[in-house]
Amino acid sequence: MDNTQVRKKFREHFGTSGELYFSPGRINLIGEHTDYNGGFVLPGAIDKGMLAEIKINGTNKVRAYSVDLDEYAEFGMNEADVPAQSWARYIFGVVREIAKRGGQVEGFDTAFSGDVPLGAGLSSSAALESTFAFALNEIFRLGIDKFELAKIGQATEHNYCGVKCGIMDQFASVFGKEGHLIRLDCRSLEYEYVPFNPVGYKVVLIDSVVKHELASSAYNRRRESCEAVVAAIRKHHPEVSLLRDADMQMLAEVKNEVSTEDYMRAEYVIEEIQRLLDACEALKKGDYKTVGEKMYGTHHGMSKLYEVSCEELDYLNDVARECGVTGSRVMGGGFGGCTINLVPEDKYDHFIETAVKGFKAKFGKEPKIYPVKIGDGSRKL
Ligand code: GLA
């Protein structure tokens, strides 16, 4: 990412220069809404993210400038000092979560900017959290390991931004590796880098440009549904502590004890955990056809059972199928954002053209196209 603007704005505001840090956004090939259920995910960091210039300022305040929003915020670092701007709360949250872990952070100046599209399901917020968690850890020599850096970002979402997210986004942002996906067991945090170079295919995101206003409360409700089903299953099977431990048989046993909606949510999650494992097996053999079928399976589940898709995303999924795209599905939390598509190279141009044209005609707005490149995780530049 070009650092000219950040450098320029930092100098304008603070009259000096600092160090540059970067953390990426992420894609996820398959395994959606499985992380907070203790299941597996298969994300990869992308070549787009958040860039921040940072320098210790000798005060006990953070002075932060968002280049993209052209907004400035100044805040203290105690629990009561919550900044008014929602973007500043990500930085404040990271500072607080570090402090809760005993880390000593002093005041600093920062200017930051990103090239991950906001609200597209590419985890621009995780990129922002990871950038600051990683940078402050280095600048103040805190000795926090990478697992804990990811957890600091996640806790920031929980405690300062109102989203009870899983660990996937922050983990992918911190641990990303060029050319690789990360097969992460979200319960144990054991992970494996899976080389991802689908010869003969292109991976592309199509952004529906839909942003769901109430996405975070809807997201939190999905999580509550999963927890309600676990509570019901536990009465019969005390060993079950997350949906990861449950199977369809156990779910069937509690059918009359949970709401229809909660049942559908859990059905999706249990199936999705298995779909991911199947897709990983297929990936090892270079069997992209099966990987693609599983992706379509995920879309169907997210649309009909988990109900986190929307008309625009369902439309993009249908077009993908009609154009012979190998795999396609809504990616990330849902409620808008992108589909991720595994497209045979010879079908690529036709697919993009058809999707863009059809989408415009049907919804009166233009979808955005982002070709995917898998990049490295958090780093100093
Ligand atoms: C959001 C959350 C993640 C994960 C995905 C869905 O991106 O931040 O933790 O739950 O949704 O897979």
Side-chain angles (χ1 to χ4, degrees), residues 26 32-33 35-36 165-166 168-169 219 332-333:
R26 62 106 188 88
E32 220 66 87
H33 290 278
D35 57 355
Y36 53 85
C165 65
M168 169 169 73
D169 306 348
Y219 179 94

mmCIF file of all heavy atoms in Angstrom, residues 26 32-33 35-36 165-166 168-169 219 332-333, ligand 1:
data_model
loop_
_atom_site.group_PDB
_atom_site.id
_atom_site.type_symbol
_atom_site.label_atom_id
_atom_site.label_comp_id
_atom_site.label_asym_id
_atom_site.label_seq_id
_atom_site.Cartn_x
_atom_site.Cartn_y
_atom_site.Cartn_z
ATOM 1 N N ARG A 26 -8.816 -9.902 5.310
ATOM 2 C CA ARG A 26 -8.757 -11.334 5.033
ATOM 3 C C ARG A 26 -9.879 -11.804 4.114
ATOM 4 O O ARG A 26 -10.907 -11.150 3.981
ATOM 5 C CB ARG A 26 -8.819 -12.145 6.333
ATOM 6 C CG ARG A 26 -10.109 -11.961 7.149
ATOM 7 C CD ARG A 26 -11.069 -13.131 7.088
ATOM 8 N NE ARG A 26 -12.351 -12.837 7.709
ATOM 9 C CZ ARG A 26 -13.354 -12.292 7.058
ATOM 10 N NH1 ARG A 26 -13.237 -11.937 5.784
ATOM 11 N NH2 ARG A 26 -14.499 -12.053 7.656
ATOM 12 N N GLU A 32 -17.700 -20.705 7.700
ATOM 13 C CA GLU A 32 -18.218 -19.390 8.105
ATOM 14 C C GLU A 32 -19.145 -19.544 9.318
ATOM 15 O O GLU A 32 -19.962 -20.472 9.372
ATOM 16 C CB GLU A 32 -18.982 -18.796 6.922
ATOM 17 C CG GLU A 32 -18.781 -17.330 6.716
ATOM 18 C CD GLU A 32 -17.356 -16.928 6.321
ATOM 19 O OE1 GLU A 32 -17.051 -16.931 5.132
ATOM 20 O OE2 GLU A 32 -16.573 -16.586 7.228
ATOM 21 N N HIS A 33 -18.984 -18.644 10.279
ATOM 22 C CA HIS A 33 -19.732 -18.689 11.538
ATOM 23 C C HIS A 33 -19.419 -19.969 12.315
ATOM 24 O O HIS A 33 -20.220 -20.437 13.117
ATOM 25 C CB HIS A 33 -21.246 -18.549 11.309
ATOM 26 C CG HIS A 33 -21.632 -17.162 10.871
ATOM 27 N ND1 HIS A 33 -21.804 -16.126 11.769
ATOM 28 C CD2 HIS A 33 -21.826 -16.639 9.649
ATOM 29 C CE1 HIS A 33 -22.118 -15.021 11.095
ATOM 30 N NE2 HIS A 33 -22.130 -15.302 9.805
ATOM 31 N N ASP A 35 -16.214 -20.166 13.765
ATOM 32 C CA ASP A 35 -15.134 -19.852 14.727
ATOM 33 C C ASP A 35 -15.639 -19.748 16.167
ATOM 34 O O ASP A 35 -15.077 -20.361 17.070
ATOM 35 C CB ASP A 35 -14.307 -18.620 14.294
ATOM 36 C CG ASP A 35 -15.079 -17.329 14.089
ATOM 37 O OD1 ASP A 35 -16.330 -17.347 14.191
ATOM 38 O OD2 ASP A 35 -14.424 -16.292 13.832
ATOM 39 N N TYR A 36 -16.737 -19.013 16.376
ATOM 40 C CA TYR A 36 -17.230 -18.880 17.760
ATOM 41 C C TYR A 36 -17.969 -20.127 18.227
ATOM 42 O O TYR A 36 -18.438 -20.187 19.358
ATOM 43 C CB TYR A 36 -18.089 -17.620 17.933
ATOM 44 C CG TYR A 36 -19.230 -17.489 16.941
ATOM 45 C CD1 TYR A 36 -20.450 -18.095 17.168
ATOM 46 C CD2 TYR A 36 -19.068 -16.738 15.777
ATOM 47 C CE1 TYR A 36 -21.487 -17.955 16.256
ATOM 48 C CE2 TYR A 36 -20.090 -16.599 14.859
ATOM 49 C CZ TYR A 36 -21.305 -17.209 15.105
ATOM 50 O OH TYR A 36 -22.330 -17.077 14.198
ATOM 51 N N CYS A 165 -17.605 -11.263 18.136
ATOM 52 C CA CYS A 165 -17.042 -12.034 17.025
ATOM 53 C C CYS A 165 -16.179 -13.196 17.509
ATOM 54 O O CYS A 165 -15.814 -13.278 18.675
ATOM 55 C CB CYS A 165 -16.180 -11.111 16.153
ATOM 56 S SG CYS A 165 -14.745 -10.474 17.010
ATOM 57 N N GLY A 166 -15.856 -14.082 16.580
ATOM 58 C CA GLY A 166 -14.902 -15.154 16.847
ATOM 59 C C GLY A 166 -13.485 -14.653 16.624
ATOM 60 O O GLY A 166 -13.249 -13.441 16.526
ATOM 61 N N MET A 168 -11.408 -15.605 14.033
ATOM 62 C CA MET A 168 -10.878 -15.789 12.671
ATOM 63 C C MET A 168 -10.192 -14.556 12.081
ATOM 64 O O MET A 168 -9.057 -14.644 11.586
ATOM 65 C CB MET A 168 -11.997 -16.224 11.724
ATOM 66 C CG MET A 168 -11.569 -16.172 10.259
ATOM 67 S SD MET A 168 -12.696 -16.955 9.149
ATOM 68 C CE MET A 168 -14.059 -15.813 9.114
ATOM 69 N N ASP A 169 -10.873 -13.422 12.105
ATOM 70 C CA ASP A 169 -10.380 -12.255 11.364
ATOM 71 C C ASP A 169 -9.046 -11.753 11.900
ATOM 72 O O ASP A 169 -8.112 -11.475 11.148
ATOM 73 C CB ASP A 169 -11.406 -11.109 11.422
ATOM 74 C CG ASP A 169 -12.771 -11.550 10.945
ATOM 75 O OD1 ASP A 169 -12.875 -12.649 10.368
ATOM 76 O OD2 ASP A 169 -13.736 -10.795 11.147
ATOM 77 N N TYR A 219 -25.629 -10.337 14.009
ATOM 78 C CA TYR A 219 -24.514 -11.271 14.213
ATOM 79 C C TYR A 219 -24.552 -11.833 15.642
ATOM 80 O O TYR A 219 -24.468 -13.037 15.854
ATOM 81 C CB TYR A 219 -23.192 -10.543 13.969
ATOM 82 C CG TYR A 219 -21.967 -11.396 14.161
ATOM 83 C CD1 TYR A 219 -21.375 -12.057 13.088
ATOM 84 C CD2 TYR A 219 -21.391 -11.555 15.422
ATOM 85 C CE1 TYR A 219 -20.244 -12.846 13.254
ATOM 86 C CE2 TYR A 219 -20.265 -12.347 15.604
ATOM 87 C CZ TYR A 219 -19.696 -12.982 14.521
ATOM 88 O OH TYR A 219 -18.583 -13.776 14.708
ATOM 89 N N GLY A 332 -17.677 -14.163 4.877
ATOM 90 C CA GLY A 332 -17.608 -13.377 6.096
ATOM 91 C C GLY A 332 -18.899 -13.489 6.879
ATOM 92 O O GLY A 332 -19.657 -14.452 6.739
ATOM 93 N N GLY A 333 -19.172 -12.482 7.679
ATOM 94 C CA GLY A 333 -20.352 -12.525 8.542
ATOM 95 C C GLY A 333 -21.662 -12.541 7.766
ATOM 96 O O GLY A 333 -22.648 -13.102 8.189
HETATM 97 C C1 GLA B 1 -17.160 -12.036 11.100
HETATM 98 C C2 GLA B 1 -16.534 -12.308 12.463
HETATM 99 C C3 GLA B 1 -15.739 -13.609 12.458
HETATM 100 C C4 GLA B 1 -16.557 -14.761 11.897
HETATM 101 C C5 GLA B 1 -17.217 -14.358 10.576
HETATM 102 C C6 GLA B 1 -18.145 -15.414 10.079
HETATM 103 O O1 GLA B 1 -16.149 -11.790 10.153
HETATM 104 O O2 GLA B 1 -15.706 -11.255 12.847
HETATM 105 O O3 GLA B 1 -15.294 -13.904 13.757
HETATM 106 O O4 GLA B 1 -17.500 -15.207 12.825
HETATM 107 O O5 GLA B 1 -17.929 -13.149 10.680
HETATM 108 O O6 GLA B 1 -17.472 -16.579 9.781
#
